[in-house]
Amino acid sequence: MNTTASQPDLSAAIQCAAGPEIVPAVLPLLQGGVLLDFMPGCTVESLMVERLGIDPEYAFGRVQTIFLDGHPVDRLEDTVHDGAVIALSAALPGLIGATMRKMGVLSSFRSGISHRNDASITTGGDGVFTLKLFNVVLPELGPEILTRGVFLTAQRFASRLAMLPTAFFQDQPSIILDGREVRLTPDMTALPGIDPAQLLRLTIRP
């Protein structure tokens, strides 16, 4: 189903840059999902390899489970619509994991919930999708994806900072927010001068 209505305006996002020391702190945000821009109508394969920069060998081997809008994917040539939610995972444990594995020998057992391609999806233009990473895929792919830039609200970012242990702030980490340096502190519950609903484009500097 092609759902293009009410997608966030990524062009209005405020730039937020941070050093690699913040990567372990923000990686869990990718489990909940972050926004990225893309060209709607591309295939699942091109989204992983070309848009996310995942090595093809890793994409076809290590990434064993793919969900598109909550449905397990078998065909990497399926197309991705604007507003889609993509979840990537390595092999999940047990019988359920074997059943959900892409092109697995047990995939026929969940045929009723498998993703069905929609040939009517509009191609081209600017689009937005949500990316989620799970288990070992999160630490293996997350840092590189963060260097490419992801979009999330200021509220989600600040809420994550508020959950971090005091020890994280001992080295006085900082971010560059809309061109100004902001020192991160343990008592920070919001980003100074930023509406909580404001979108940020968070980029981790190499």
Side-chain angles (χ1 to χ4, degrees), residues 8 11 13 28 34 36 64 66 76 105 109 115 118 127 131 133 153-154 165:
S11 66
V34 292
L36 292 96
Q64 288 291 309
I66 304 170
L76 297 184
V105 294
F109 287 97
H115 179 260
D118 183 354
L131 174 68
L133 303 179
T153 64

Side-chain angles (χ1 to χ4, degrees), residues 24-75:
V26 301
L27 271 183
L29 293 172
L30 275 69
Q31 286 185 303
V34 292
L35 300 175
L36 292 96
D37 58 303
F38 83 123
M39 184 176 292
C42 70
T43 65
V44 173
E45 178 180 348
S46 64
L47 184 79
M48 290 196 296
V49 175
E50 298 175 16
R51 175 61 186 89
L52 298 179
I54 302 174
D55 180 85
E57 184 175 346
Y58 186 101
F60 304 141
R62 186 68 155 168
V63 179
Q64 288 291 309
T65 306
I66 304 170
F67 285 91
L68 174 54
D69 296 332
H71 299 284
V73 171
D74 284 312
R75 294 161 41 90

Side-chain angles (χ1 to χ4, degrees), residues 107-180:
S107 61
S108 61
F109 287 97
R110 41 85 169 163
S111 58
I113 62 171
S114 295
H115 179 260
R116 296 288 183 267
N117 198 38
D118 183 354
S120 67
I121 292 176
T122 302
T123 61
D126 298 323
V128 180
F129 74 99
T130 299
L131 174 68
K132 298 182 178 183
L133 303 179
F134 295 100
N135 57 43
V136 297
V137 169
L138 176 62
E140 291 176 356
L141 292 183
E144 175 61 27
I145 289 173
L146 288 173
T147 66
R148 291 170 170 257
V150 300
F151 296 86
L152 71 164
T153 64
Q155 182 178 28
R156 281 192 68 205
F157 185 60
S159 296
R160 175 58 190 161
L161 294 176
M163 297 171 60
L164 298 175
T166 304
F168 172 79
F169 302 93
Q170 288 179 350
D171 293 331
Q172 299 183 319
S174 65
I175 59 175
I176 304 299
L177 183 62
D178 199 22
R180 57 193 172 93

